[in-house]
Amino acid sequence: MNDPRLQQPTFATILFAAMSDGFEVIVVGAGPAGCAAAYTLAKAGIEVLLVERSKFAGGKNVTGGVLYGSALHELIPEFWKEAPVERRVQRHVISMLSEKSSVSIDFNTGESGHPESAGYTVLRAKFDRWFAQKVEEAGGMVITGSRADDLIWEDGRVAGIVAGGDNIPAKVVIAADGVNSLLADKAGLGVGLSPDNVNQGVKEIIKLPRQTIEERFNVTADGGAAMHFLGFCTHGVHGGGFLYTNQESLSLGVVVQLKALIDSKLKSVELLESFKEHSTVREWIKGGTPTEYSAHLVPAGGLRMVPQLYTDGMLVAGDAAALVLATGRALEGLNFALASGIAAAETVKMAKEKGDFSQQVLSQYVKLLSESFVLQDLVRFYGAPQYLENPRLYGVYPELACSLAEKVFEVDGNPKRTVWQLARAEMKDKVSLWQLIRDAMAARKTI
Ligand SMILES: Cc1cc2nc3c(=O)[nH]c(=O)nc-3n(C[C@H](O)[C@H](O)[C@H](O)COP(=O)(O)OP(=O)(O)OC[C@H]3O[C@@H](n4cnc5c(N)ncnc54)[C@H](O)[C@@H]3O)c2cc1C
């Protein structure tokens, strides 16, 4: 990946290009939201500059990560044939852990399944770099190792960015600078991060030979497994664990609500270490070599957290706008970032045709998002963040599932009881039937 085209142009080059009228569009952040926006614009022949603070796109980015690819497939048909995806997920496992045991649902699609709606494991350092390269191939300009520090304002509208002490003018700016978006804050479009609406993720990459992965996880040569864990992996703290297979490594981590983590007085790195020690997980990662550790925040407040998404001369996409779906089934941020980046770019294309980058025209962005899964899913799962506050999901229920399974499979020479009788006995002093029904009803509505 030592493509000379990815060597960053100097600011002199950028300034030279910008000196006349500036860029038509500046996109800040070369994550999936920013790359999707810049690629869409570049392909439409619009002059776009993509600015990334890391030395190379994806350099510091963290994702579990399973990419659900339908949005990317629309932009780059059959992207999985050229993008550096690791494995197509064919096996989905959800496990509830108690301290010593686990109960799992294991769904294996085999080699069938639809490639356009499948999940693909990705490593961001490779994936984002590839995507930034696609932006350049499409005619966009990419500068890495350069942080956007501020916005330029002209007559009350955003008119470019300040980076490295230089002013770079543009007709419109797309802020795709991730969860701690400096630019959205500066424009008064910030999401208002607080410990109860943001999760902290920690992740380790563990190297394992390709063949070991395929045998151990019972997957095909390009197939992979996505495993999600609930319960003892977070010691009852609001959140969960994940384990994804890459070509020659595993991505293992925990994602927990920041407030619950602070209240628990535990550290996320301690949770990760204890997760690795769990008897179930230990077997999956046996013989592996940890090679990389990273931590990152991810918005978790759902629709309630989504700010105004545009102002005169500016749009906000991806995590910067809290466009992330966390329902407890999976964490979907990459596909939301991609789809919102594309929608932001489509809005800019419309604005360019009209020669008007005012907020009246840029408000079309919300219409496009409302027509896509992005806002429709966030509306449908509006109640999920509140439902996920329920502490029984992370303690009582995983414990109960494991202890019930133990009793169900125990043959001790005594007369057997029905599963229902066993369940009632296990529930005693843990959760009332009434409480269980109420939680189930709430789950039905919100998840
Ligand atoms: C541990 C963990 C596991 C996850 N697992 C999954 C998963 O399995 N599936 C899934 O779909 N989602 C997952 N997510 C969420 C997903 O990673 C995010 O939703 C997604 O990365 C958002 O993309 P983005 O482009 O909006 O922001 P980012 O990916 O954060 O990209 C923002 C970019 O902007 C750059 N930047 C920031 N500030 C500036 C600046 N001032 N100037 C220039 N550049 C700047 C950053 O360096 C970065 O490259 C996970 C998140 C975490 C933390």
Side-chain angles (χ1 to χ4, degrees):
M1 279 277 180
N2 271 337
D3 191 325
R5 286 168 305 179
L6 280 183
Q7 306 297 309
Q8 53 164 293
T10 62
F11 250 105
T13 323
I14 297 292
L15 282 178
F16 180 73
M19 247 181 342
S20 43
D21 291 328
F23 286 89
E24 289 184 293
V25 191
I26 294 175
V27 179
V28 178
C35 287
Y39 181 75
T40 308
L41 291 164
K43 272 207 11 171
I46 293 176
E47 192 185 46
V48 57
L49 171 67
L50 176 61
V51 179
E52 167 56 45
R53 69 178 170 189
S54 298
K55 279 206 186 95
F56 63 91
K60 290 190 188 147
N61 291 342
V62 185
T63 291
V66 176
L67 162 71
Y68 292 94
S70 55
L72 187 55
H73 172 57
E74 276 186 31
L75 190 61
I76 304 175
E78 304 196 335
F79 70 89
W80 53 88
K81 292 187 175 162
E82 59 164 306
V85 295
E86 297 291 312
R87 289 172 183 272
R88 170 153 27 126
V89 178
Q90 66 178 85
R91 188 170 171 202
H92 296 266
V93 180
I94 298 177
S95 290
M96 288 197 262
L97 304 183
S98 69
E99 188 177 349
K100 300 257 182 305
S101 57
S102 61
V103 172
S104 303
I105 298 172
D106 189 337
F107 171 61
N108 197 330
T109 61
E111 285 181 79
S112 62
H114 303 285
E116 62 282 359
S117 54
Y120 294 86
T121 54
V122 292
L123 292 168
R124 294 287 301 276
K126 289 194 220 167
F127 180 80
D128 291 10
R129 210 169 177 172
W130 164 81
F131 209 173
Q133 189 171 340
K134 293 290 291 178
V135 173
E136 290 199 315
E137 285 166 8
M141 186 178 273
V142 181
I143 179 163
T144 54
S146 178
R147 201 180 69 175
D149 297 313
D150 211 341
L151 294 167
I152 305 174
W153 292 89
E154 237 174 60
D155 303 327
R157 62 171 282 271
V158 175
I161 61 163
V162 181
D166 294 308
N167 281 7
I168 313 180
K171 294 198 173 70
V172 62
V173 171
I174 298 178
D177 48 345
V179 60
N180 275 319
S181 173
L182 183 74
L183 297 191
D185 278 349
K186 298 242 177 208
L189 305 177
V191 296
L193 285 186
S194 65
D196 60 354
N197 66 16
V198 72
N199 286 348
Q200 187 183 59
V202 288
K203 169 185 162 181
E204 211 169 81
I205 294 182
I206 300 173
K207 266 205 114 31
L208 264 185
R210 176 186 268 272
Q211 203 185 337
T212 309
I213 292 176
E214 283 151 22
E215 285 168 7
R216 189 174 292 175
F217 289 86
N218 188 23
V219 290
T220 55
D222 294 318
M227 311 177 109
H228 295 110
F229 301 85
L230 206 61
F232 191 75
C233 51
T234 61
H235 287 246
V237 176
H238 174 162
F242 62 85
L243 195 173
Y244 304 136
T245 56
N246 304 313
Q247 277 178 19
E248 296 186 335
S249 64
L250 307 175
S251 294
L252 179 85
V254 292
V255 178
V256 285
Q257 189 201 49
L258 198 54
K259 178 176 179 300
L261 184 68
I262 295 167
D263 291 348
S264 74
K265 309 228 175 348
L266 291 162
K267 293 200 172 67
S268 41
V269 63
E270 292 168 350
L271 295 180
L272 182 61
E273 283 311 313
S274 138
F275 182 37
K276 284 166 67 180
E277 291 299 317
H278 191 277
S279 53
T280 303
V281 177
R282 213 167 43 216
E283 288 306 305
W284 293 123
I285 64 174
K286 196 166 66 184
T289 313
T291 56
E292 211 180 299
Y293 173 84
S294 51
H296 209 274
L297 296 177
V298 60
L303 189 64
R304 271 193 195 91
M305 194 180 170
V306 176
Q308 172 152 340
L309 297 167
Y310 57 87
T311 187
D312 290 313
M314 180 164 150
L315 295 157
V316 191
D319 276 14
L323 297 170
V324 175
L325 186 71
T327 58
R329 278 200 291 206
L331 178 59
E332 292 182 45
L334 295 171
N335 51 340
F336 279 64
L338 288 160
S340 60
I342 295 168
E346 292 298 338
T347 309
V348 167
K349 277 160 69 179
M350 273 186 240
K352 188 189 166 186
E353 272 167 30
K354 294 193 168 140
D356 180 356
F357 296 94
S358 67
Q359 50 174 310
Q360 282 73 22
V361 175
L362 296 185
S363 67
Q364 280 298 309
Y365 179 39
V366 175
K367 185 167 177 287
L368 291 183
L369 291 177
S370 312
E371 287 165 1
S372 84
F373 67 85
V374 174
L375 282 182
Q376 289 185 20
D377 283 355
L378 285 168
V379 168
R380 173 154 307 137
F381 296 103
Y382 182 80
Q386 279 60 47
Y387 178 73
L388 295 174
E389 292 278 343
N390 181 348
R392 286 181 291 281
L393 298 177
Y394 314 101
V396 169
Y397 293 135
E399 286 285 342
L400 199 58
C402 292
S403 62
L404 177 59
E406 195 177 328
K407 290 283 180 286
V408 167
F409 295 111
E410 200 173 64
V411 180
D412 60 4
N414 289 313
K416 289 183 186 32
R417 288 186 287 170
T418 64
V419 173
W420 177 243
Q421 285 169 326
L422 291 171
R424 294 291 285 142
E426 288 305 311
M427 282 164 61
K428 199 157 181 286
D429 300 329
K430 292 186 190 130
V431 61
S432 68
L433 182 59
W434 175 232
Q435 192 66 67
L436 181 78
I437 292 170
R438 277 185 32 189
D439 287 344
M441 293 299 282
R444 188 180 61 86
K445 273 198 248 152
T446 56
I447 295 184

